Amino acid sequence: MNTIHTAHTDQAVHGGASTLYVRFLLPPMHEALLPQLLGLLGEFTPEVEALPPDAALVDVRGARRYFGRGAVELAALIRVRALALYGVECAIGAGPGPMLARMAARGAAPGVTRAVPEGADGVREFLAERPVGELPGIGRATARTLCEYGLDSLGKVAAAPLSTLQRLVGARAGRELREKARGVDRARVVPNAASRSLSAERPFPRDDLDPFRHRRALLSIAEELGAGMRGDDQVCRTLTLTVRYADRTTTTRTRTLPEPTAHSVALTTTAYRMYEALALQRARVRAVALRAEGLGPAEHAAHQLTFDPVDERSRRIEEVADRARERFGPGAIVPGTLAA
C-alpha cells in the first residue's frame, strides 16, 4: 500500500507538515544558482538551511500562519516562482520535521510535492515498509549489518528490542536508530546563509580528453574561489570536486583541508590531488566544478606558521595580486598558465 500523499498545485493542503525539503533540479554544473534560489526561499521564511549543492530545508511553521496557507500550498508557490524566475524545477518533500521531509522527497518527480500523512499512525504507516537504508544518517555498513539480521525495513527496526539494536550498532546509535524508525525526528532546521558555500564551474567547449586542460580549469576555479573568499574575509574548511563526463554521469570527491584557508595555492593543490586520485584514463570530461564549503570568518581561523620561504613568498604575492585586481579588475593579474 502506498502511503505517500502526492500533491499537485490544485490539491488539498496537508496542514500537519511544517518542514519542506526542496531539491532544485539544476541544469548540469549550475550550482552557482543556489544562492539566488535560497534568496527566493528567504522571501517566505528566514528559517532556511542551505544544503549545497542543490537543496535546502525550510521551516514553514511561521510562514503557514503568515500566509494562511498549508505547507503543500507554499511548496507549490515556491516551485512556480523558481521555474518562472530562474527556469529551475523543484522536487519537494513535506513532513513534520527535517528527517521525514527528506524521506518524502526521495524519488519525488519534478512538479510534485510528496507529503507524509498526518498523525502518528500516518507517520508509522509511511515508515513501515521503507528500506532501512533510506533513513537519513544510516550508512551502507550499518544498513548491511541490519539486513544480515533480517532488519531490512524500518517497520522491523521499530519493532525490534532496543537491546538487540544496541548490540548490533552500539548503545547510542541503537537508541537513535529506534527513535528514527518510530518517527521521532529530533532534527531542526538550522538557518544559515548562502555564503556557507561558494562554487564555480568550468564547462569545456567540447568533451575534453586532455588532463592538462582539466588541471588548467581547476587552477582557474581555485583562483576564483580563493579571490572571492579573501574579498569577503572568509576561509573554507572543505573542498569538493565534481567532474561531469560525456555520458552525463558525475564523480564527486570531498576533502577536508589541513586548516581553514582561502589561499589559492592550497586550494589548487587540494583540487589537483583529488583529480589525480580519480585516476581518469582518457576520460571524456564535459565540465569540472569546485565548491568551497564550511565558510567562516578569516579572523577566527588559525594559520600554522612555517619556515618555508616559498609559502611566505606566495602569500605575499597573493596579497599584492588581490590589491591589483581590486583596483584594475579581476583579469589584472593571473597565473602564467592561465595567461597562456
Side-chain angles (χ1 to χ4, degrees):
M1 177 179 177
N2 185 7
T3 61
I4 298 175
H5 292 189
T6 302
H8 296 274
T9 57
D10 58 348
Q11 288 186 306
V13 174
H14 293 77
S18 61
T19 305
L20 300 178
Y21 178 86
V22 183
R23 180 165 54 91
F24 298 108
L25 307 180
L26 295 173
M29 312 303 290
H30 279 65
E31 297 176 4
L33 279 176
L34 184 61
Q36 300 173 61
L37 293 166
L38 294 174
L40 183 153
L41 297 177
E43 296 176 5
F44 290 87
T45 172
E47 301 296 312
V48 177
E49 179 177 352
L51 301 173
D54 61 0
L57 282 166
V58 186
D59 187 330
V60 295
R61 285 176 295 181
R64 288 190 311 177
R65 292 191 294 269
Y66 183 83
F67 291 101
R69 298 174 181 268
V72 173
E73 283 187 326
L74 291 172
L77 291 175
I78 290 169
R79 187 166 51 247
V80 169
R81 296 198 65 185
L83 188 59
L85 296 176
Y86 302 103
V88 175
E89 185 57 276
C90 307
I92 303 177
M99 180 189 78
L100 292 164
R102 283 174 182 262
M103 296 182 71
R106 190 181 183 92
V112 171
T113 298
R114 305 178 81 192
V116 176
E118 295 183 44
D121 291 340
V123 170
R124 187 162 46 250
E125 187 179 357
F126 168 77
L127 291 172
E129 300 302 323
R130 303 186 77 79
V132 69
E134 290 190 12
L135 194 66
I138 299 299
R140 293 182 180 179
T142 300
R144 186 165 53 248
T145 298
L146 294 169
C147 289
E148 288 174 354
Y149 286 86
L151 301 174
D152 55 355
S153 72
L154 294 178
K156 294 178 181 178
V157 171
L162 177 59
S163 58
T164 299
L165 298 176
Q166 291 179 321
R167 190 162 55 249
L168 293 177
V169 301
R172 180 177 178 180
R175 184 170 57 253
E176 292 178 352
L177 174 62
R178 190 167 186 247
E179 285 187 349
K180 290 180 178 180
R182 294 185 170 191
V184 178
D185 189 355
R186 300 189 185 278
R188 294 292 179 268
V189 175
V190 181
N192 55 17
S195 59
R196 293 282 294 181
S197 71
L198 187 66
S199 63
E201 62 204 42
R202 294 292 184 274
F204 296 106
R206 60 183 63 86
D207 299 335
D208 203 304
L209 298 166
D210 189 347
F212 173 77
R213 283 195 285 268
H214 301 166
R215 290 167 61 91
R216 189 172 183 269
L218 291 175
L219 172 61
S220 172
I221 298 173
E223 287 286 330
E224 179 182 332
L225 294 182
M229 286 188 286
R230 293 191 300 274
D232 292 334
D233 293 322
Q234 293 183 312
V235 293
C236 70
R237 295 182 178 276
T238 61
L239 196 64
T240 296
L241 166 68
T242 301
V243 179
R244 185 174 297 277
Y245 306 104
D247 61 358
R248 298 183 181 275
T249 60
T250 60
T251 299
T252 301
R253 293 290 184 272
T254 298
R255 183 165 296 185
T256 301
L257 298 164
E259 64 183 22
T261 187
H263 186 31
S264 293
V265 173
L267 299 175
T268 303
T269 300
T270 302
Y272 283 172
R273 287 174 178 169
M274 288 191 288
Y275 171 81
E276 290 163 1
L278 296 178
L280 302 180
Q281 300 295 326
R282 302 289 293 173
R284 296 168 59 205
V285 175
R286 183 159 295 179
V288 294
L290 288 175
R291 185 170 69 254
E293 299 177 291
L295 300 192
E299 62 183 8
H300 296 162
H303 169 54
Q304 178 65 48
L305 296 177
T306 70
F307 294 101
D308 182 1
V310 175
D311 179 70
E312 293 302 318
R313 185 165 58 250
S314 69
R315 290 178 183 272
R316 288 199 298 271
I317 292 173
E318 193 171 72
E319 292 175 3
V320 173
D322 286 343
R323 289 197 293 270
R325 293 188 189 108
E326 183 178 354
R327 183 172 181 181
F328 300 109
I333 296 180
V334 297
T337 301
L338 300 180

